[in-house]
Amino acid sequence: EMSEMFERSKQNVAHGLAWSFYVGYLKIVLPRVKKSMEEFSRANPNLPACRKTWKLHILIPLSCHTYDDLEKADSNIQYVTELTETILARAGIKKRVYKHSLYAITDEENQLWHCAVEYAAPLQTLYAMSQDECAAFSRDERLEQAKLFYRTLEEILRGSKECADTYRLIAYEEPEEAEPHFLSREIVWHLRQEHHEEISVLERSHPPSPSTALDSAELNLQISVSDLPQPLRTDGF
């Protein structure tokens, strides 16, 4: 009876996809992301290194619409290279290859941000199901499934010790009117948060000496509100 109830409400779809995504992919690749990013940073010492951004940024559009080519989604996102491959024997497949793409993202001030970013692939399944009459998925049901997928994946990853600090979930709802650089702005927003997090850690590790420390009044004069780290958005989930 419980199985039939879940099947009718389709609650098992997103839940299963989230667990499959974690067990079959993220649990394998995430523990290796930082090493790949470190290798890239050593090979490219001219690029600024922000260790807090050395993680896999996973895009979760609630529309479930994904692009196979991120450069077509937003011209401010440009492919740079592939990170180091992970090759494993998996489910009877010899030398299965897992790899991530590194992108350079241009912000509104023409500054470049480098990060590994990709869509959550199971969203393609949800989108395809909403287009297939056999699945009988309405647009509203697809939206609810996308939210459930996000919440389930977030909960799974939060409890995973081996994946700690190796990922960033970027869930978003696309604007009704097309904005050519919406996606790059969304990603850069998260990268800036990570950058501020790293600065905060460094400041706690190396507090300024009394002779060089600035009081709060001086800081208020030198730093604008827009420059301060903003609280992480919940996007209503």
Side-chain angles (χ1 to χ4, degrees):
E1 290 178 357
M2 289 294 293
S3 179
E4 289 179 358
M5 183 184 72
F6 281 124
E7 187 172 352
R8 285 194 301 270
S9 64
K10 301 184 179 69
Q11 291 180 2
N12 55 342
V13 176
H15 187 267
L17 286 174
W19 271 103
S20 177
F21 189 43
Y22 168 69
V23 175
Y25 181 62
L26 296 181
K27 192 175 182 180
I28 298 170
V29 302
L30 287 182
R32 298 170 170 84
V33 167
K34 285 189 180 295
K35 182 180 179 181
S36 295
M37 291 295 295
E38 187 174 1
E39 290 173 354
F40 174 80
S41 182
R42 282 202 304 265
N44 297 271
N46 57 315
L47 296 179
C50 174
R51 290 181 178 272
K52 271 290 183 179
T53 65
W54 289 3
K55 55 187 69 174
L56 183 61
H57 297 79
I58 304 169
L59 302 177
I60 304 180
L62 297 183
S63 67
C64 296
H65 183 263
T66 64
Y67 288 84
D68 290 328
D69 189 341
L70 278 172
E71 293 170 310
K72 291 182 179 178
D74 190 323
S75 60
N76 279 352
I77 304 175
Q78 295 295 317
Y79 169 81
V80 176
T81 188
E82 298 295 322
L83 295 179
T84 306
E85 298 177 346
T86 296
I87 302 176
L88 300 171
R90 184 79 174 169
I93 303 173
K94 295 288 187 180
K95 297 182 180 180
R96 182 165 184 174
V97 177
Y98 298 87
K99 61 182 178 180
H100 310 292
S101 296
L102 188 76
Y103 288 89
I105 303 173
T106 306
D107 65 15
E108 63 275 8
E109 298 174 353
N110 288 322
Q111 179 182 350
L112 284 180
W113 300 76
H114 292 83
C115 71
V117 59
E118 60 191 52
Y119 287 103
L123 295 179
Q124 294 179 322
T125 300
L126 286 176
Y127 188 84
M129 289 177 69
S130 70
Q131 305 298 308
D132 194 314
E133 293 181 1
C134 296
F137 246 39
S138 69
R139 183 176 180 178
D140 289 340
E141 286 173 328
R142 185 183 70 196
L143 176 60
E144 290 306 311
Q145 289 295 311
K147 290 180 179 179
L148 179 58
F149 173 83
Y150 167 73
R151 289 194 297 266
T152 305
L153 185 61
E154 183 181 44
E155 184 178 352
I156 294 170
L157 288 170
R158 192 184 295 126
S160 175
K161 293 181 180 180
E162 59 264 57
C163 295
D165 201 35
T166 62
Y167 66 91
R168 180 90 169 195
L169 299 183
I170 304 178
Y172 58 91
E173 195 159 9
E174 294 163 304
E176 293 182 3
E177 295 185 7
E179 296 182 23
H181 301 306
F182 168 79
L183 185 56
S184 59
R185 288 201 306 272
E186 192 74 16
I187 297 171
V188 167
W189 188 91
H190 285 269
L191 293 174
R192 281 178 174 151
Q193 295 304 308
E194 293 165 346
H195 184 68
H196 287 312
E197 288 168 12
E198 181 176 61
I199 291 175
S200 298
V201 170
L202 291 175
E203 288 177 344
R204 286 196 297 270
S205 301
H206 305 285
S209 63
S211 60
T212 59
L214 299 175
D215 61 28
S216 57
E218 290 175 304
L219 284 173
N220 286 335
L221 290 174
Q222 296 190 25
I223 303 178
S224 68
V225 173
S226 61
D227 291 329
L228 292 171
Q230 301 299 313
L232 295 179
R233 295 184 291 187
T234 60
D235 292 322
F237 305 131

